[in-house]
Amino acid sequence: GPTGVELAGALSELKKDILPSDYPDMNIGEMDIHLVEANPRLLKEMSEKSSAHALESLNKMGVNTSLNTRIVEYTGRKAITKDGRELHGSILIWAAGVKAVIPSGIDPICIEGGRISVDEYSRIKGLEREFAIGDVARMSTTEYPEGHPMMAQPAIQQGELLARNLILLGQGKSLRPFRYKNLGAMATIGRSQAVTELPRIRLYGWFAWITWLLVHIYQLIGFRNKVVVMIHWAQNYFRHSRDLRLIIRPFRSKY
């Protein structure tokens, strides 16, 4: 998903631009970055073209990507895949999403795929006045047979509609069904690299990256915050810096 892709790209940039200068006594050549994906392609929520662009960009950045691969065990020194392959490394970052926390008292028959099954009104199936929204809810539709993405936008939209429906319920009126409005998806891959899918346009590379920046700056609260963040991002972009500074002893690398 976007988290794993963005994290792998960020680590690749740290390896190339930041760590050699901040930690000159480290042998960066011993550092490998592996991105393991259980699905047949990256960014499965996006189009196949976006997935292919992300994969190509990560490969160019030196990230070792494994598709159709599932990790079944981690010993602290190596990860073992389902097909028996071993990936040696003392650091494992799990970015496989979240798991719904289901309240006690819910009938197990209402639970499907680790989430609570609900109808188009967010009502728990088989119940009349109990509702579930967001990550914990599984509202199966033709477009989303396994439920809506466990992201902020579906939860926000479900919450807004449920608030209106509760008022209608109190007035004895008919409830309104939920229709998810997909506002788009974005994922940064690295420096000047991103994929952006908006309702009517798809962007890749530098233009997608600029769009990602503008959208996130726009969502900040307050004009001052927007200006400060924009200045800091511009400094990082031109200086190749993350301001990662620790007190370390002077050292001349032998590598």
Side-chain angles (χ1 to χ4, degrees):
T3 301
V5 169
E6 293 179 352
L7 189 56
L11 290 174
S12 177
E13 290 187 336
L14 283 174
K15 176 183 177 180
K16 177 183 176 182
D17 299 323
I18 308 302
L19 296 180
S21 60
D22 282 14
Y23 301 94
D25 54 337
M26 290 179 59
N27 181 8
I28 302 300
E30 294 181 352
M31 177 181 176
D32 291 323
I33 304 171
H34 294 268
L35 179 60
V36 182
E37 172 59 61
N39 291 291
R41 61 185 179 92
L42 302 176
L43 303 174
K44 67 174 184 176
E45 295 83 5
M46 295 187 176
S47 65
E48 293 187 4
K49 185 175 181 180
S50 296
S51 299
H53 180 86
L55 178 61
E56 181 182 1
S57 298
L58 288 174
N59 288 338
K60 289 181 179 180
M61 297 171 69
V63 177
N64 302 295
T65 307
S66 300
L67 303 177
N68 285 314
T69 304
R70 184 182 298 272
I71 291 179
V72 295
E73 183 181 355
Y74 180 65
T75 66
R77 301 298 299 178
K78 62 183 178 181
I80 303 175
T81 65
K82 189 175 182 179
D83 58 3
R85 187 157 60 99
E86 297 181 353
L87 300 176
H88 293 269
S90 57
I91 298 177
L92 173 69
I93 302 176
W94 189 259
V98 297
K99 182 179 180 180
V101 179
I102 300 176
S104 59
I106 301 295
D107 192 332
I109 200 173
C110 299
I111 301 173
E112 184 179 0
R115 303 165 75 179
I116 302 174
S117 295
V118 299
D119 61 15
E120 57 186 348
Y121 307 107
S122 295
R123 290 182 303 199
I124 298 177
K125 291 187 176 181
L127 303 176
E128 287 294 329
R129 304 180 71 89
E130 286 74 26
F131 301 83
I133 60 174
D135 294 349
V136 77
R138 177 187 174 116
M139 184 186 297
S140 299
T141 64
T142 302
E143 189 175 0
Y144 300 97
E146 298 181 0
H148 295 89
M150 300 172 78
M151 300 167 60
Q153 272 303 316
I156 292 173
Q157 294 178 30
Q158 288 175 353
E160 291 175 347
L161 179 63
L162 180 57
R164 299 189 186 99
N165 278 339
L166 289 176
I167 296 175
L168 295 176
L169 184 64
Q171 297 173 347
K173 298 180 180 180
S174 299
L175 304 183
R176 299 177 182 176
F178 177 73
R179 298 291 184 269
Y180 176 48
K181 183 180 180 181
N182 190 347
L183 301 179
M186 298 181 177
T188 57
I189 304 170
R191 182 181 176 85
S192 301
Q193 285 292 329
V195 291
T196 299
E197 292 188 354
L198 302 177
R200 297 184 179 180
I201 189 174
R202 294 176 181 175
L203 300 173
Y204 305 97
W206 186 83
F207 289 104
W209 184 72
I210 290 296
T211 302
W212 183 91
L213 293 179
L214 295 177
V215 168
H216 284 75
I217 290 177
Y218 174 78
Q219 292 179 335
L220 294 177
I221 300 176
F223 177 78
R224 182 178 180 276
N225 291 334
K226 296 178 181 180
V227 173
V228 170
V229 171
M230 187 180 300
I231 292 175
H232 286 173
W233 281 358
Q235 289 177 337
N236 290 335
Y237 181 81
F238 290 109
R239 293 171 53 219
H240 291 265
S241 174
R242 295 294 186 274
D243 292 330
L244 179 61
R245 295 291 178 266
L246 299 178
I247 300 176
I248 57 177
R249 57 187 171 83
F251 185 86
R252 178 173 294 179
S253 176
K254 62 182 180 179
Y255 301 107

